Amino acid sequence: AYDFLKSHSAVDSVEFAVRMMEDNTLFNAGTGAMMQSDGIQRMDACIIDGYRNKGGAVAQISGVKNPIEVARMVMEKTQHCLIVGEEAQKFAYLNGIGRYVTVTKESIERWLKIKEDTHYGTVGAVAIDMDGKIAAGISTGGWATSLPGRVGDVPIIGGGTYANEQVGVSCTGHGEKISKAILAGAV
Ligand code: ASP
């Protein structure tokens, strides 16, 4: 990701870094992401371009490989900040994103024994490029014990992630507490 940043913008690099982590089953994002308490994966992601003061996010999306890519499309192709659920999935497919199953054998096993193993890594990235422009991104499968449909801090701009011309922030931890503190935006 560092080499990528040498020749790409902060926002492209953040998308690239988060995408790599979404594709790695070690993390709770994208492929292998955690399911909610009903056993269904619903993922949240957000990307913010601090220089352009733009952000895009998706919440409760499934059936796509890289939620961060869809968040980027929301930022680049719409006038909105956040699209949720099935409509986010349809938006992705309409924009050429392929269908993808992010559930893995390991994610099912992990979900089944979640009472012992409550939490593993949401992913985030912050980058500053050669022009000094800053971007931030974040992606998660959320919490295994959450109610279906629960949305935490991740897709809320200023909640779990934020960027402007001076700073970039990506948080991890208890989404409800992060949201109440407006943690990323409070910097
Ligand atoms: N903040 C995430 C959420 O509550 C979880 C995490 O950071 O691991 O959805």
Side-chain angles (χ1 to χ4, degrees):
Y2 179 69
D3 279 341
F4 189 91
L5 182 59
K6 286 185 190 158
S7 53
H8 293 81
S9 68
V11 71
D12 282 346
S13 302
V14 161
E15 182 184 343
F16 178 78
V18 173
R19 192 193 284 244
M20 280 202 315
M21 292 185 276
E22 287 177 337
D23 291 345
N24 187 326
T25 55
L26 284 177
F27 300 113
N28 178 14
T31 304
M34 187 44 70
M35 289 77 127
Q36 294 186 321
S37 60
D38 59 353
I40 310 275
Q41 271 180 344
R42 299 179 187 87
M43 301 175 283
D44 303 335
C46 181
I47 191 162
I48 301 177
D49 182 334
Y51 180 73
R52 286 188 296 157
N53 192 24
K54 289 188 81 168
V58 287
Q60 305 294 283
I61 193 169
S62 48
V64 298
K65 187 163 181 261
N66 295 106
I68 196 73
E69 188 181 4
V70 189
R72 176 85 191 262
M73 282 180 166
V74 172
M75 177 168 89
E76 304 293 356
K77 294 180 186 266
T78 79
Q79 306 205 323
H80 310 306
C81 289
L82 172 62
I83 301 183
V84 306
E86 276 175 30
E87 304 308 325
Q89 190 190 57
K90 277 189 228 162
F91 168 80
Y93 295 160
L94 282 172
N95 281 282
I97 303 261
R99 289 170 194 273
Y100 194 86
V101 177
T102 47
V103 178
T104 63
K105 189 168 161 278
E106 289 73 29
S107 69
I108 294 170
E109 283 165 3
R110 199 181 271 136
W111 182 77
L112 287 172
K113 61 165 193 190
I114 203 65
K115 296 288 181 289
E116 304 139 47
D117 166 25
T118 53
H119 187 216
Y120 74 110
T122 286
V123 304
V126 171
I128 180 164
D129 62 26
M130 296 298 180
D131 300 326
K133 295 174 182 168
I134 300 171
I138 189 167
S139 183
T140 191
W143 292 78
T145 49
S146 80
L147 289 173
R150 173 267 188 190
V151 176
D153 57 302
V154 166
I156 309 300
I157 293 172
T161 189
Y162 186 69
N164 61 23
E165 285 188 48
Q166 280 91 39
V167 293
V169 183
S170 179
C171 302
T172 184
H174 192 278
E176 283 69 11
K177 288 185 184 145
I178 293 171
S179 293
K180 276 181 221 153
I182 328 168
L183 196 60
V187 287

